[in-house]
C-alpha cells in the first residue's frame, strides 16, 4: 500500500478507494507494463479481507481492447499507447488512472461520489504520516 501513497498521494488514494467501493469502471495505464499489475495488487490489498468481484484484467492486449465496453464494473490495465483508442463514451463512464504520473481523470458520466468531507478529513489525517506529498492537483473531473 505504501507504493500507492508514493504514486498517488493521500487524496488521490482516497479517490481510488472510493472508486473501488462504488464499483466503478477503472482503467489504469502506464508506459511500463510491469507497473500495472503491482498497482492493482497494492490497491486491492487495501481491501483485505474484502475481494474485488468485478472484471479484473491487469494487462489488456490490443486485440482485446473491446473489453472496455463491458457493462459491469472492471479494473483494466492498458499500455499508454492504447489510451487514445478508448472510445469517448467509455472513458466518460470510467475513472482513468495514469500510473506514471499519479493523475486521475474522473469521467463526467461515472456518477462518482466523493466521501463525505468530514469522513474524508478523518481518513486524510490518519493517512498523512504515510503521504510523501505528491501534490494534489492531478485529479480531473470532466463534465
Amino acid at each position: 500500500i505504501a507504493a500507492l501513497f508514493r504514486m498517488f498521494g493521500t487524496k488521490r488514494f482516497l479517490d481510488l478507494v472510493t472508486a473501488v467501493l462504488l464499483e466503478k469502471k477503472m482503467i489504469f495505464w502506464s508506459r511500463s507494463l510491469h507497473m500495472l499489475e503491482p498497482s492493482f495488487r497494492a490497491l486491492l490489498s487495501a481491501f483485505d479481507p474484502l475481494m474485488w468481484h468485478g472484471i479484473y484484467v491487469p494487462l489488456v492486449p490490443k486485440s482485446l481492447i473491446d473489453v472496455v465496453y463491458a457493462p459491469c464494473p472492471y479494473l483494466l490495465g492498458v499500455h499508454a499507447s492504447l489510451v487514445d483508442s478508448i472510445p469517448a463514451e467509455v472513458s466518460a463512464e470510467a475513472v482513468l488512472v495514469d500510473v506514471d504520473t499519479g493523475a486521475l481523470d474522473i469521467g463526467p458520466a461515472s456518477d462518482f461520489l466523493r466521501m463525505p468531507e468530514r469522513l474524508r478529513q478523518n481518513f486524510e489525517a490518519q493517512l498523512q504520516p504515510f503521504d510523501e506529498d505528491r501534490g494534489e492537483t492531478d485529479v480531473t473531473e470532466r463534465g
Side-chain angles (χ1 to χ4, degrees), residues 1-17 20 28 35 37-50 99 123 126-134:
I1 295 176
L4 286 179
F5 287 115
R6 283 192 300 276
M7 285 192 293
F8 298 105
T10 303
K11 291 182 180 182
R12 289 185 301 265
F13 173 77
L14 288 176
D15 284 337
L16 288 172
V17 167
V20 171
F28 285 56
M35 291 296 296
E37 199 275 331
S39 300
F40 287 120
R41 193 171 353 111
L43 177 62
L44 294 175
S45 72
F47 295 95
D48 189 46
L50 302 176
V99 173
F123 277 127
Q126 291 180 29
L127 296 172
Q128 197 63 42
F130 304 102
D131 194 357
E132 293 187 11
D133 192 28
R134 287 201 31 126

Side-chain angles (χ1 to χ4, degrees), residues 13-133:
F13 173 77
L14 288 176
D15 284 337
L16 288 172
V17 167
T18 301
V20 171
L21 290 173
L22 294 173
E23 297 185 325
K24 297 298 173 192
K25 297 177 179 182
M26 299 178 70
I27 302 172
F28 285 56
W29 78 85
S30 176
R31 287 180 189 83
S32 301
L33 297 178
H34 70 277
M35 291 296 296
L36 292 171
E37 199 275 331
S39 300
F40 287 120
R41 193 171 353 111
L43 177 62
L44 294 175
S45 72
F47 295 95
D48 189 46
L50 302 176
M51 295 179 60
W52 173 261
H53 289 283
I55 295 173
Y56 172 54
V57 185
L59 182 57
V60 177
K62 185 177 183 177
S63 61
L64 297 177
I65 196 67
D66 287 344
V67 73
V68 299
Y69 287 105
C72 54
Y74 54 66
L75 295 172
L76 303 177
V78 299
H79 188 270
S81 65
L82 297 178
V83 171
D84 291 335
S85 64
I86 297 171
E89 67 269 15
V90 171
S91 66
E93 296 178 348
V95 175
L96 305 177
V97 182
D98 184 340
V99 173
D100 297 331
T101 66
L104 272 69
D105 186 4
I106 300 170
S110 69
D111 296 326
F112 188 84
L113 300 172
R114 284 211 155 72
M115 284 183 201
E117 192 60 32
R118 195 167 164 189
L119 178 61
R120 187 178 181 90
Q121 288 173 349
N122 186 25
F123 277 127
E124 286 176 9
Q126 291 180 29
L127 296 172
Q128 197 63 42
F130 304 102
D131 194 357
E132 293 187 11
D133 192 28

